[in-house]
Amino acid sequence: MADTTGNTQDVGAPRGSGAGPAPRRSGWRHIGPGIVVAATGVGAGDLVATLIAGGNFGYTLLWAAIVGCLVKISLAEACGRWHLSTGRTLFDGWASLGRWTTWFFAVYAVVWGFVYGAAAMSSSALPLQALFPDVMGLEWWGIACGLVGLTFVWFNKYSVFEKVMTVLVGVMFVVTVYLAVRVTPNLGDAFAGLLPVLPDEEDSVLNTLGLIGGVGGTITLAAYGYWVNAKGWTDTGWMRVMRLDNRVAYATTGVFVIAMLFVGAELLHSANIAIASGDKGLIQLGDVLEREYGTATGTLFLIGFFATSFTSLIGVWHGVSLMFADFLARQRGEREARGDELASGRRERSWAFRAYLLWLTFPPMILLFQDEPFRLIIVYGVLGAAFMPFLALTLMWLLNSSRTPREWRNGPLSNAMLAVAGLLFLVLCVKQAWDQPWSEFF
């Protein structure tokens, strides 16, 4: 597969001049952070969005799902390249752009973490309650999932975390591919869906952009560089390995997206069945699968649903906590947070890492027992939509400046991909902000 940076050089100095470390031979045995970012980035809501796209438009937007994966490859590769070529973390790079980045991240981490914590626990609880309806209520399943995630991330280092994520991704892969085969996709229509055409519907452009930008597009893309360092990859000798790992990540994401679009096109579109948006749409899909293909298929789907939701939970618990610990370390005066600090595992044992873990787990439990606070949800939605253009555009800034060694700066292709990503997410951010009920906010 072509290098999305447009820069084919694989040997260079991580900082300054002189010969860099010899490149490691890329191979499947090194794959790891990519699996983690793929599993974390694809949540239950993403699968529902793809299902609804398939249900509404059949195979028409298959091309858009694939373009979305290519956009995410460029973003994650840029994050990993920054970490490996400079030896500095992404937040250290952001901080070099001005204090505005610090304020943005601080507000984002606090508000987003509070609301996302409740959403992740609720999403993980839904399939468990469906599998074991008489054990306890949804709220208590959510609390149990949060506590299990907290305990697992608190007491385990990255290596164990990666192994568990890999197993859960295997479950997700088997379930989604099985479902795609089970619904017997029309391959002729599917190949026709590779042609870039828009559905003949109102707001088809925005729906298409939403599908391209939505699946796998969260703060976990920024966490990819942190997981690369936590794996022990800290210099440019790992660049070739990182690029293979990243491509595997979004090939895996592509399989999930295409499989669920097949299910939507064949099971929902052909039978004119509508499901709700959000996580509860997957419960409805489970009922449809059980009715059409039997209890075993419905149960298998719920297991895959849980794996999808729980990988997102523990992935955010680990990755965003690493980012928050890095943020506080720099606020305390560490002028340059180096990748070897992440590789040592000290960040995972720091009080800042564990404090953010607690923030993700306990305060959001309040939201499980009451309606979500209206104003907070609006701020959460706007901040969440603003993060992806922030990521794309700041990466362009960092990787075209003297902050990055010359041999690892953006090539024309990478600049084009990041520019497309920045514009795409900026449009979606404006739409998200425009759609909020601001008149009711004040």
Side-chain angles (χ1 to χ4, degrees):
M1 184 181 291
D3 176 10
T4 60
T5 66
N7 181 351
T8 58
Q9 185 174 359
D10 274 307
V11 182
R15 9 188 199 281
S17 59
R24 272 72 171 182
R25 185 183 298 276
S26 59
W28 296 104
R29 64 189 179 89
H30 293 304
I31 299 303
I35 295 296
V36 172
V37 77
T40 307
V42 180
D46 298 312
L47 296 186
V48 171
T50 311
L51 275 169
I52 290 176
N56 289 341
F57 309 120
Y59 294 101
T60 304
L61 292 180
L62 179 59
W63 65 273
I66 294 173
V67 169
C69 290
L70 295 177
V71 169
K72 309 311 182 332
I73 285 175
S74 66
L75 283 166
E77 189 276 343
C79 292
R81 178 156 45 95
W82 166 265
H83 276 248
L84 294 182
S85 66
T86 65
R88 300 164 64 186
T89 63
L90 184 55
F91 187 81
D92 193 51
W94 284 338
S96 73
L97 301 178
R99 292 189 61 82
W100 66 276
T101 60
T102 300
W103 285 107
F104 176 82
F105 182 80
V107 175
Y108 178 86
V110 172
V111 175
W112 182 88
F114 180 60
V115 181
Y116 180 83
M121 287 186 275
S122 177
S123 179
S124 298
L126 279 168
L128 291 177
Q129 188 189 41
L131 286 166
F132 310 104
D134 300 323
V135 175
M136 53 184 170
L138 181 67
E139 297 84 0
W140 297 106
W141 275 119
I143 289 173
C145 290
L147 293 176
V148 170
L150 170 70
T151 304
F152 172 71
V153 175
W154 188 291
F155 290 106
N156 288 292
K157 290 187 177 181
Y158 174 80
S159 57
V160 177
F161 165 72
E162 181 189 287
K163 288 181 175 65
V164 171
M165 291 288 275
T166 301
V167 171
L168 291 173
V169 167
V171 174
M172 293 168 60
F173 189 90
V174 168
V175 171
T176 54
V177 171
Y178 166 76
L179 291 177
V181 173
R182 192 75 174 83
V183 299
T184 318
N186 185 320
L187 296 182
D189 288 347
F191 280 116
L194 297 175
L195 295 174
V197 297
L198 295 174
D200 186 18
E201 299 283 344
E202 185 179 355
D203 293 332
S204 62
V205 173
L206 289 174
N207 287 331
T208 302
L209 292 178
L211 182 61
I212 292 173
V215 180
T218 69
I219 191 175
T220 54
L221 281 168
Y224 178 64
Y226 287 82
W227 285 321
V228 162
N229 286 159
K231 178 76 169 176
W233 305 347
T234 58
D235 57 50
T236 55
W238 290 102
M239 195 71 76
R240 184 180 298 166
V241 177
M242 181 276 292
R243 285 168 169 165
L244 173 64
D245 178 73
N246 178 45
R247 292 161 189 162
V248 170
Y250 283 95
T252 304
T253 300
V255 170
F256 295 150
V257 170
I258 291 169
M260 296 311 288
L261 193 138
F262 280 7
V263 173
E266 293 296 337
L267 191 63
L268 304 181
H269 183 71
S270 60
N272 199 26
I273 298 173
I275 61 172
S277 60
D279 300 342
K280 292 183 180 178
L282 291 186
I283 295 296
Q284 291 177 278
L285 177 64
D287 294 338
V288 173
L289 288 168
E290 184 172 346
R291 186 168 62 248
E292 294 291 328
Y293 302 112
T295 302
T297 296
T299 300
L300 182 65
F301 169 74
L302 290 174
I303 293 170
F305 177 6
F306 173 74
T308 301
S309 298
F310 196 66
T311 51
S312 293
L313 186 152
I314 60 176
V316 166
W317 263 229
H318 188 276
V320 184
S321 295
L322 273 181
M323 295 182 68
F324 187 79
D326 185 41
F327 158 69
L328 284 190
R330 201 177 193 287
Q331 295 304 107
R332 296 198 309 270
E334 293 184 21
R335 304 312 299 169
E336 287 191 358
R338 297 289 181 182
D340 51 14
E341 181 77 9
L342 292 163
S344 72
R346 287 190 291 271
R347 282 280 187 265
E348 293 165 278
R349 299 190 296 273
S350 68
W351 70 267
F353 179 89
R354 290 175 171 174
Y356 195 72
L357 267 180
L358 296 173
W359 174 252
L360 283 168
T361 306
F362 289 105
M365 290 179 182
I366 299 169
L367 300 183
L368 296 176
F369 291 94
Q370 63 183 37
D371 293 335
E372 296 174 333
F374 177 71
R375 288 181 176 84
L376 186 62
I377 295 303
I378 290 180
V379 175
Y380 165 80
V382 173
L383 281 174
F387 183 82
M388 292 304 290
F390 168 79
L391 175 63
L393 298 174
T394 54
L395 281 171
M396 278 193 73
W397 190 346
L398 291 170
L399 292 168
N400 283 291
S401 72
S402 59
R403 297 172 181 85
T404 304
R406 183 174 300 277
E407 58 268 38
W408 298 112
R409 292 178 196 168
N410 277 358
L413 180 56
S414 186
N415 275 326
M417 292 295 288
L418 290 179
V420 168
L423 181 61
L424 163 69
F425 290 118
L426 190 60
V427 169
L428 293 176
C429 176
V430 171
K431 180 181 184 298
Q432 178 81 352
W434 182 267
D435 288 344
Q436 298 298 332
W438 294 106
S439 60
E440 302 173 29
F441 183 88
F442 301 101

